[in-house]
Every structure is written in C-alpha cells, then in structure tokens.
Amino acid sequence: MFSVLSYGRLVTRAVIGGLSQTDSRDYSLVTARCGFEKDFRKGILKKGMCYGDDACFIARHRSADVLGVADGVGGWRDYGVDPSQFSGTLMKTCERLVKEGRFVPSNPVGVLTSSYYELLQNKVPLLGSSTACIVVLDRRSHRLHTANLGDSGFLVVRGGEVVHRSDEQQHYFNTPFQLSIAPPEAEGAVLSDSPDAADSSSFDVQLGDIILTATDGLFDNMPEHMILQELKKLKKTNYESIQQTARSIAEQAHVLAYDPNYMSPFAQFACDNGLNVRGGKPDDITVLLSIVAEYTD
C-alpha cells in the first residue's frame, strides 16, 4: 500500500524537457507525494500529512505554489515526546500562513520564521526539533525561491541533469541544523538553530522542469544517479505519471534502506567520518515530486 496525493490539473500544457518561456504566462507546480514510515507501515499517513516523524505540506495561493518537508528529530522519543508533533505542527502552520497570504514568495525563510515563532508562543509548550525545507514558485516571475535548514532538501532536474540542488547543513556527522523548542530547564543544552541560518536560493525555472523535494530518508539511501534514472521514466505530466514516479522513487529508497549489503550515501558519509558502516539507513521517507507547468484555473 502507498499513499499519494496530487495537486494541479489532470492535463497540463508542459512538456518535459522545457518549452520556450513567454513572460505573460503564469507558471504553477503539479505535485504528487508519497512516503513510508520507518517501521514498515507503508503509506500510512498520519493526520497532518506526516509519514512517521516526517511531515509535509502543499499549498496554493494566487501568487505562488509552496511546498515544504520537515523531519522530526527522533531522539525526543527517549524523553517521552512524540517527534512528529513538532514537525507536523510546523508544516501545518506554514501551510496556513500561505493560504492566508501571510508570506512573501521571494522570502521562504520568512514563512519558516513566522511558523517557528508561532510555535514558540503557544500557550501549551510544544517540545521537539525538526529540519525543514521550503520551496516557493512565484507564478508571475517564474522564479523558484528556497530555504533549507538541515539535511532535508530539493533538486531541480532539466533535460535529465541536475541544475540546482540544496546544500546539506550539518553541525557534525548525523547532526543536522534544526529548529528546536526545549523545556526551560534544558535551554542551552539542546541544539537549536535560528530559521535565519537556513540556506536560501533563488533562480529561474522553465516549463517542464522537475523539482524533487524530500527528507533525508530519500537522500541517505538513494544517490543522485539513481534518482535521475527513475526520473528519466517520467515521460508525461499528468497525475498518474507523476504519482507513479513518486511512488517508484519512495519505494526504491525504502527497500534500499533495509539492505545490509548496500553501500548507501549515508554509509559512505559515515565511512568518510571514520566509522565502519555498511547498508542502508532505515528512516521515514517523504517525497514530493513536482513539474513546472503553465498555470490554469
């Protein structure tokens, strides 16, 4: 079983590989999502668009399409805290702010900042930590604006090649940058980064560009060349094709995560840091797969 939701019209006018741009046309994202929980409960989606401790959102506003993924830090479970509550609430807050128009498309860090500070001001403390990645397509300017904090991320593919990719942010091995809320007695002892520390970028996109946004459960288990091989199978831009490819990528990463003989990107990174590690990395996996298309109401 799997869970995939799609956004956008069934028929788009984009053709993979890119079409000539016309300034008068607005762009949009046609997006599908798929994910798996770490503990094999495949495709079970918690309330709030969460796969395990991962969370995501897909929102539309008249000026932009906005996507986000977050990965709750599992270590909080040792202290009786559900890690999915922090990541899920963060993403739901981002989604609400976008739908209410309380954001600037060119400033995705602002969306992350506003959401985080809302969590800080909750009357009932919400404890936890999370990475986060926000992707915004400005329909009129045809520019993609991104903010990435930690080891979730995105890549943009054009003509079968990666033309943009987010930079991973790590304090040290397997310790990504993260937003955190700790109990008062633990403040200063819990790793916590500012939303302003997010790596941000802005660049033009073209019709037919493929945007893959995902948590580290994907990138730790599938190297770039494997992801590109799967994306090459995406020949159409309708819902069914995007769903099928999103599912294929998530499923392959999920299988590799439990292969003890596979030299995964995570295992290679561990070896680079002096650790004798082999195999995949069991983890929650969230994949958002988007194609840039001409906007239609």
Side-chain angles (χ1 to χ4, degrees):
M1 293 178 61
F2 62 93
S3 175
V4 184
L5 293 181
S6 303
Y7 294 76
R9 290 181 62 87
L10 181 61
V11 178
T12 69
R13 301 180 187 178
V15 176
I16 295 178
L19 295 176
S20 59
Q21 295 189 34
T22 301
D23 290 341
S24 62
R25 291 185 293 181
D26 285 355
Y27 287 2
S28 66
L29 296 178
V30 182
T31 300
R33 66 181 170 91
C34 186
F36 294 92
E37 289 194 29
K38 177 181 179 179
D39 62 2
F40 282 94
R41 289 180 291 174
K42 300 180 181 180
I44 296 177
L45 189 64
K46 293 182 180 179
K47 184 178 180 182
M49 297 178 73
C50 297
Y51 295 102
D53 298 336
D54 284 359
C56 62
F57 78 93
I58 303 170
R60 283 193 159 192
H61 186 263
R62 62 178 178 271
S63 63
D65 287 345
V66 187
L67 316 172
V69 296
D71 179 7
V73 175
W76 283 95
R77 193 170 282 106
D78 296 337
Y79 302 92
V81 175
D82 180 357
S84 70
Q85 290 297 310
F86 188 92
S87 56
T89 304
L90 181 68
M91 293 292 94
K92 284 188 287 186
T93 305
C94 288
E95 180 181 14
R96 176 175 54 78
L97 292 176
V98 170
K99 289 182 175 180
E100 292 174 354
R102 296 165 58 190
F103 77 108
V104 177
S106 61
N107 184 23
V109 173
V111 178
L112 197 57
T113 301
S114 297
S115 300
Y116 176 57
Y117 282 109
E118 277 204 21
L119 267 59
L120 284 173
Q121 294 165 8
N122 280 348
K123 292 181 179 179
V124 178
L126 178 66
L127 305 180
S129 305
S130 177
T131 66
C133 180
I134 306 292
V135 174
V136 183
L137 173 65
D138 188 313
R139 290 209 182 97
R140 183 58 56 87
S141 70
H142 309 162
R143 288 183 67 78
L144 201 72
H145 305 281
T146 70
N148 186 59
L149 185 80
D151 57 3
S152 293
F154 72 91
L155 54 85
V156 180
V157 176
R158 181 181 303 152
E161 297 182 355
V162 175
V163 293
H164 296 282
R165 181 166 183 168
S166 56
D167 292 325
E168 186 174 296
Q169 295 178 311
Q170 297 270 3
H171 288 285
Y172 42 88
F173 174 68
N174 205 29
T175 307
F177 282 33
Q178 54 201 262
L179 302 176
S180 300
I181 299 179
E185 63 273 15
E187 287 183 2
V190 172
L191 189 64
S192 182
D193 297 288
S194 166
D196 291 334
D199 181 64
S200 58
S201 62
S202 297
F203 47 87
D204 293 332
V205 293
Q206 299 177 12
L207 292 175
D209 281 357
I210 300 172
I211 302 167
L212 185 147
T213 310
T215 55
D216 66 323
L218 173 69
F219 299 118
D220 281 344
N221 288 296
M222 284 186 74
E224 189 173 285
H225 72 87
M226 281 190 185
I227 296 173
L228 289 176
Q229 282 297 114
E230 291 299 314
L231 292 178
K232 286 179 181 178
K233 301 174 184 178
L234 182 55
K235 302 297 184 183
K236 300 179 181 178
T237 61
N238 56 33
Y239 281 152
E240 186 178 41
S241 296
I242 300 172
Q243 287 177 346
Q244 184 176 0
T245 303
R247 179 181 65 183
S248 178
I249 291 171
E251 285 182 338
Q252 185 170 343
H254 187 69
V255 170
L256 291 171
Y258 291 90
D259 183 344
N261 299 312
Y262 167 59
M263 181 55 75
S264 64
F266 177 81
Q268 184 60 60
F269 187 32
C271 290
D272 292 343
N273 281 270
L275 301 175
N276 185 18
V277 175
R278 192 173 184 86
K281 182 192 176 188
D283 201 355
D284 303 315
I285 297 168
T286 299
V287 175
L288 305 182
L289 185 60
S290 310
I291 292 182
V292 179
E294 184 178 351
Y295 175 74
T296 53
D297 292 324

